[in-house]
């Protein structure tokens, strides 16, 4: 939520964030200012720019000025500083952290960043570990493919496509129900339950014996994993501000890339067990990795506290945070977004709440982007290991060749996320994937059956320009590494930011991920067996979708800009008294409020 303070109160709070010299200069201005409502600041733009630039100052400057800033007041101005609006936004008694709400609380940058690092280690790190477990179980089918998995089970590539489709479909179906259960019982209970259950199914793939058991396990794993990502996104929003969430989402998806790297090494080792006791190597892969993720699931019951002020338990009597840290944690989040106190973290959604979130047409453009954004790069990624085996690479080579793409993917994903916050543009950062993919898709379309296996790998491997090696008869080798920006974390945080209420955020996170899974179903069926091995028809479709996506991203930009301009005109046409009356009497909720501005 983004609202404007009376100028005298705004200056008073800003005074506390400045140096003593600045305070003396501003004091005269504060004394002579009048109490009026000004233009509403855009969502996501803090009044004190140091809240945005502090990371860069610390990373790239060691001057005494920036060192001194650590001990200046970090508390940001908010609606809680105005006695006329504080009661409008005061957290209700049902809010689980209400006892730590203190509108007069002040803290320094040193305290805040020390606390954020502590939250990163206690909360964010384990969230990444759980995502690692998710990707390990849903992605090891790729390593299994490099060990003649389909041949052993008498499956065709169309059977493999059907298995992926069922996985995505069940994942999609479970998204919203899982989110609703999580909101009712608490993510600290539901997420560990999910992890434990899908791990049991994942390790049971050791006993696969044909098409039916393969399709059944793919469906069950997808159904049990569905909702995990939006559950975790909502959970993390309890601890972080809207400026911090995109970067944390990038770190969250770093775990996915790390899974690709680690699983490649694990797969390389376990698949070499092929023949031991007369069993295929992929059976050991499913069994061992399933046991690893089961251990993560059981540990999660003890390592996920319900919320910032609920870290104490019988096995953790002192909790993770002091009372002072809890005060800072709660008030910094509420000052950034007062809507986060709308509901208790174990308060379920009513049918009316769900319906209101579903018909929120202002979120539909982001859902549309979730559906289409990965389609251009998805099919080559899905078929990477199968394609490499068909090109003559061994099982070990196939698994190890997937590692460079993961390393480059981490770098480009984090860079794109930081870029989106630096330029304050979600569209500019996310459309970059389409511009990256288009020339590589065109190159892929031009390939023939005589194209070198290494040249094919150059483009197909996640649509990355990675490695070109001359024939073995020659000694020279040319290596060029780069990678496409994975922009999914930016869009996840974008959907969360534009929801502007716990109610809407709960449903929108699920809906966004449902559209992503629907896109994955499309991805699983672009390359067909009758179009193999070059998939000319499929690649033509991918090029067309990529061009269409560029247009849709542009339309999304103009859509949200038009909404914000319309609200600016309406709000600025009112007198301060009318603005105040609106804040006190409005029944608008979430992003319907006229004092809210969309990020784009």
């Amino acid at each position: 939520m983004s609202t404007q303070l009376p100028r005298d109160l705004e200056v008073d709070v800003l005074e506390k964030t400045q140096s003593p010299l600045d305070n003396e200069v501003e004091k005269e201005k504060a004394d002579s200012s009048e109490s009026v409502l000004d233009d509403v600041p855009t969502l996501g733009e803090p009044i004190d720019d140091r809240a945005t630039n502090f990371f860069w100052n610390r990373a790239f400057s060691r001057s005494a000025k920036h060192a001194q800033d650590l001990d200046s007041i970090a508390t940001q101005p908010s609606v809680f500083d105005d006695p006329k609006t504080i009661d409008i936004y005061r957290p209700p008694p049902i809010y689980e952290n209400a006892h730590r709400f203190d509108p007069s609380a002040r803290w320094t940058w040193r305290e805040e960043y020390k606390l954020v690092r502590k939250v990163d280690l206690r909360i964010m790190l384990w969230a990444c570990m759980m995502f690692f477990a998710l990707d390990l179980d849903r992605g090891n089918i790729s390593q299994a493919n490099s060990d003649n998995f389909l041949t052993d089970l008498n499956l065709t590539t169309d059977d493999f496509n059907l298995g992926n489709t069922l996985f995505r479909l069940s994942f999609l179906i479970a998204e919203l129900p899982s989110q609703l259960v999580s909101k009712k019982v608490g993510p600290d209970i539901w997420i560990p339950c999910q992890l434990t259950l899908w791990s049991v199914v994942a390790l049971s793939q050791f006993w696969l014996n044909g098409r039916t058991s393969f399709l059944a396990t793919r469906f069950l794993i997808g159904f049990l994993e569905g909702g995990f990502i939006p559950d975790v996104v909502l959970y993390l929003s309890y601890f972080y501000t809207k400026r911090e969430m995109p970067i944390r989402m990038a770190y969250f998806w770093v775990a996915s890339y790390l899974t690709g790297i680690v699983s490649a090494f694990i797969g390389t080792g376990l698949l070499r067990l092929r023949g031991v006791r007369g069993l295929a190597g992929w059976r050991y892969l499913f069994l061992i990795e399933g046991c690893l993720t089961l251990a993560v699931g059981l540990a999660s019951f003890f390592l996920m506290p319900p919320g910032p002020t609920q870290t104490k338990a019988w096995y953790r009597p002192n909790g993770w945070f002091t009372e002072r840290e809890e005060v800072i944690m709660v008030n910094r989040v509420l000052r950034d977004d007062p809507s986060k106190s709308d509901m208790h973290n174990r308060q379920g959604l009513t049918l009316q709440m769900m319906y209101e979130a579903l018909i929120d047409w202002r979120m539909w453009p982001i859902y549309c982007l979730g559906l289409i954004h990965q389609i251009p790069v998805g099919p080559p990624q899905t078929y990477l290991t199968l394609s490499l085996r068909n090109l003559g690479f061994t099982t070990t080579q196939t698994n190890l060749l997937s590692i460079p793409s993961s390393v480059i993917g981490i770098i480009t994903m984090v860079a794109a996320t930081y870029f989106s916050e630096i330029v304050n543009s979600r569209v500019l950062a996310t459309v970059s994937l389409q511009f990256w993919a288009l020339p590589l898709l065109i190159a892929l379309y031009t390939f023939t059956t005589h194209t070198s296996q290494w040249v094919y790998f150059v483009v197909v491997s996640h649509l990355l320009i990675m490695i070109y090696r001359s024939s073995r008869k020659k000694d020279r080798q040319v290596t060029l590494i780069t990678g496409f920006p994975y922009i999914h974390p930016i869009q996840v945080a974008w959907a969360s930011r534009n929801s502007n209420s716990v109610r809407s955020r709960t449903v929108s996170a699920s809906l966004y991920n449902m559209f992503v899974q629907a896109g994955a179903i499309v991805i699983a069926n672009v390359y067909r067996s009758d179009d193999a091995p070059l998939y000319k028809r499929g690649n033509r479709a991918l090029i067309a979708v990529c061009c269409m996506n560029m247009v849709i991203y542009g339309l999304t930009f103009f859509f949200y800009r038009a909404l914000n301009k319309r609200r600016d005109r309406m709000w600025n046409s009112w007198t301060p008294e009318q603005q105040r009356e609106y804040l006190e009497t409005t029944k608008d909720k979430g992003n319907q409020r006229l004092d809210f501005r969309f990020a784009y």
Side-chain angles (χ1 to χ4, degrees):
M1 184 178 300
S2 185
T3 55
Q4 184 70 21
L5 303 174
R7 190 180 302 279
D8 56 343
L9 290 170
E10 177 181 328
V11 173
D12 178 67
V13 178
L14 282 176
E15 183 180 357
K16 297 179 176 64
T17 69
Q18 298 172 335
S19 65
L21 179 60
D22 291 335
N23 287 343
E24 293 297 324
V25 174
E26 294 296 333
K27 187 174 182 180
E28 294 182 4
K29 298 180 181 179
D31 292 337
S32 60
S33 63
E34 297 180 358
S35 179
V36 295
L37 283 171
D38 221 340
D39 293 338
V40 179
T42 303
L43 175 67
E45 294 181 355
I47 299 175
D48 187 345
D49 289 337
R50 282 174 294 180
T52 305
N53 298 326
F54 189 83
F55 168 82
W56 302 103
N57 292 340
R58 290 287 293 162
F60 301 114
S61 175
R62 296 293 182 182
S63 68
K65 176 181 182 298
H66 292 136
Q68 184 180 8
D69 281 348
L70 282 173
D71 294 314
S72 62
I73 300 299
T75 313
Q76 294 296 291
S78 78
V79 293
F80 300 122
D81 299 304
D82 185 350
K84 297 180 180 179
T85 59
I86 184 173
D87 289 333
I88 300 174
Y89 298 97
R90 183 184 296 275
I94 194 175
Y95 177 52
E96 70 275 6
N97 303 313
H99 62 293
R100 294 292 186 235
F101 173 69
D102 181 3
S104 64
R106 298 291 181 267
W107 56 89
T108 66
W109 289 111
R110 187 184 300 277
E111 288 180 291
E112 178 163 332
Y113 281 89
K114 181 180 179 181
L115 177 60
V116 171
R117 287 193 296 270
K118 189 172 183 179
V119 173
D120 286 341
L121 290 174
R122 298 286 191 178
I123 305 298
M124 190 69 227
L125 186 60
W126 191 251
C128 292
M129 178 61 70
M130 293 187 295
F131 196 20
F132 178 91
L134 173 84
D135 259 11
L136 197 63
D137 280 339
R138 73 175 176 178
N140 55 15
I141 190 71
S142 181
Q143 278 80 41
N145 275 335
S146 67
D147 189 43
N148 299 321
F149 173 75
L150 298 183
T151 302
D152 291 345
L153 294 179
N154 295 318
L155 301 176
T156 66
T157 54
D158 286 345
D159 293 328
F160 177 68
N161 283 347
L162 179 59
N164 281 334
T165 301
L166 288 175
F167 172 86
R168 298 295 182 180
L169 181 61
S170 61
F171 203 103
L172 184 156
I173 293 172
E175 288 283 0
L176 189 54
S178 175
Q179 187 80 334
L180 297 179
V181 172
S182 178
K183 191 69 186 68
K184 181 65 176 179
V185 304
D188 56 301
I189 294 177
W190 179 240
I191 292 176
C193 287
Q194 283 183 280
L195 253 166
T196 303
L197 291 172
W198 87 55
S199 298
V200 172
V201 178
L203 67 87
S204 72
Q205 293 176 108
F206 176 85
W207 292 279
L208 289 178
N209 57 14
R211 184 174 184 269
T212 301
S213 57
F214 166 69
L215 297 179
T217 53
R218 296 315 294 169
F219 182 88
L220 286 174
I221 292 175
F223 187 81
L224 293 171
E225 289 182 345
F228 170 84
I229 293 175
D231 288 346
V232 175
V233 171
L234 181 64
Y235 177 70
L236 293 177
S237 71
Y238 299 155
F239 297 89
Y240 293 105
T241 67
K242 57 179 176 286
R243 275 288 184 177
E244 294 164 344
M245 278 297 287
I247 305 302
R248 268 61 190 184
M249 288 296 94
Y251 295 158
F252 188 55
W253 261 272
V254 163
S256 177
Y257 280 100
L258 290 177
T259 305
I261 296 173
V262 174
S263 64
F265 283 110
I266 294 176
T268 299
L270 293 178
L271 294 178
R272 294 176 71 88
L273 294 176
R274 188 175 185 86
V276 175
R277 295 183 178 274
L279 299 174
W282 56 262
R283 294 188 184 275
Y284 293 105
L285 179 74
F286 287 138
L287 180 64
I288 300 302
E289 291 190 349
C291 290
L292 289 175
T293 57
L294 178 60
V296 173
L298 294 175
S300 297
F301 283 103
F302 303 94
L303 294 175
M304 282 190 70
T309 64
Q310 299 169 300
T311 60
K312 293 182 180 180
W314 62 268
Y315 50 86
R316 194 167 51 235
N318 296 323
W320 281 342
F321 305 105
T322 65
E323 180 177 334
R324 170 68 173 171
E325 289 173 332
E326 290 180 355
V327 169
I328 297 174
M329 206 166 6
V330 170
N331 286 278
R332 65 188 288 271
V333 168
L334 292 184
R335 282 179 167 270
D336 176 72
D337 186 355
S339 73
K340 290 185 178 180
S341 65
D342 285 351
M343 300 178 68
H344 191 278
N345 61 8
R346 276 178 165 76
Q347 181 182 353
L349 294 178
T350 64
L351 292 177
Q352 180 63 27
M353 291 178 179
M354 290 177 54
Y355 176 74
E356 290 174 355
L358 288 171
I359 63 173
D360 183 5
W361 52 270
R362 301 162 193 84
M363 296 295 297
W364 292 354
I366 300 180
Y367 300 154
C368 179
L369 295 179
L371 173 68
I372 62 177
H373 77 282
Q374 290 195 94
I375 292 179
V377 297
Q381 179 179 351
T382 301
Y383 271 73
L384 175 61
T385 52
L386 283 175
S387 297
L388 293 178
R389 286 308 309 273
N390 291 336
L391 288 170
F393 292 104
T394 66
T395 298
T396 299
Q397 289 174 328
T398 296
N399 281 283
L400 294 180
L401 284 174
S402 66
I403 294 176
S405 64
S406 298
V407 175
I408 299 302
I410 291 174
I411 297 172
T412 56
M413 177 185 63
V414 174
T417 307
Y418 273 116
F419 176 75
S420 72
E421 292 301 309
I422 294 171
V423 301
N424 194 27
S425 174
R426 266 51 56 183
V427 170
L428 189 60
T430 53
V431 75
S432 61
L433 172 58
Q434 312 306 318
F435 283 98
W436 189 280
L438 184 58
L440 296 176
L441 286 170
I442 294 173
L444 187 61
Y445 181 70
T446 64
F447 286 173
T448 69
T449 54
H450 301 292
T451 301
S452 163
Q453 63 177 10
W454 284 103
V455 174
Y456 187 88
F457 173 61
V458 162
V459 176
V460 171
S461 182
H462 288 60
L463 287 182
L464 303 175
I465 303 175
M466 296 184 57
I467 300 176
Y468 170 76
R469 178 185 293 176
S470 56
S471 64
R472 294 183 180 180
K473 295 180 180 180
K474 301 179 181 179
D475 294 329
R476 66 182 183 274
Q477 176 176 307
V478 180
T479 303
L480 179 63
I481 301 181
T482 185
F484 74 84
Y486 185 62
I487 48 83
H488 183 54
I490 303 174
Q491 295 189 170
V492 169
W494 188 7
S496 177
R497 179 181 294 193
N498 279 1
S499 297
N500 198 48
S501 72
V502 175
R503 167 185 53 82
S504 297
R505 192 173 288 118
T506 300
V507 178
S508 67
S510 295
L511 287 177
Y512 172 79
N513 217 40
M514 288 172 69
F515 276 86
V516 172
Q517 300 310 318
I521 293 175
V522 175
I523 289 171
N525 291 279
V526 172
Y527 285 173
R528 306 294 298 176
S529 58
D530 61 348
D531 195 26
L534 297 177
Y535 303 109
K536 291 285 188 179
R537 184 181 65 233
N539 288 328
R540 283 198 303 271
L542 296 181
I543 292 171
V545 171
C546 190
C547 294
M548 177 193 70
N549 288 356
M550 295 178 184
V551 175
I552 294 178
Y553 271 100
L555 293 175
T556 301
F557 174 86
F558 289 110
F559 173 80
Y560 284 122
R561 188 174 73 164
L563 284 180
N564 285 352
K565 285 189 173 182
R566 179 177 178 274
R567 291 185 177 185
D568 283 338
R569 287 194 301 269
M570 184 178 299
W571 185 266
N572 294 333
S573 68
W574 291 350
T575 65
E577 290 74 19
Q578 290 174 319
Q579 294 172 356
R580 179 80 66 184
E581 181 182 1
Y582 172 83
L583 294 177
E584 294 175 349
T585 62
T586 183
K587 295 183 179 180
D588 294 338
K589 299 177 181 178
N591 59 26
Q592 299 175 12
R593 295 179 60 94
L594 295 179
D595 56 341
F596 174 82
R597 298 296 179 268
F598 293 94
Y600 61 90

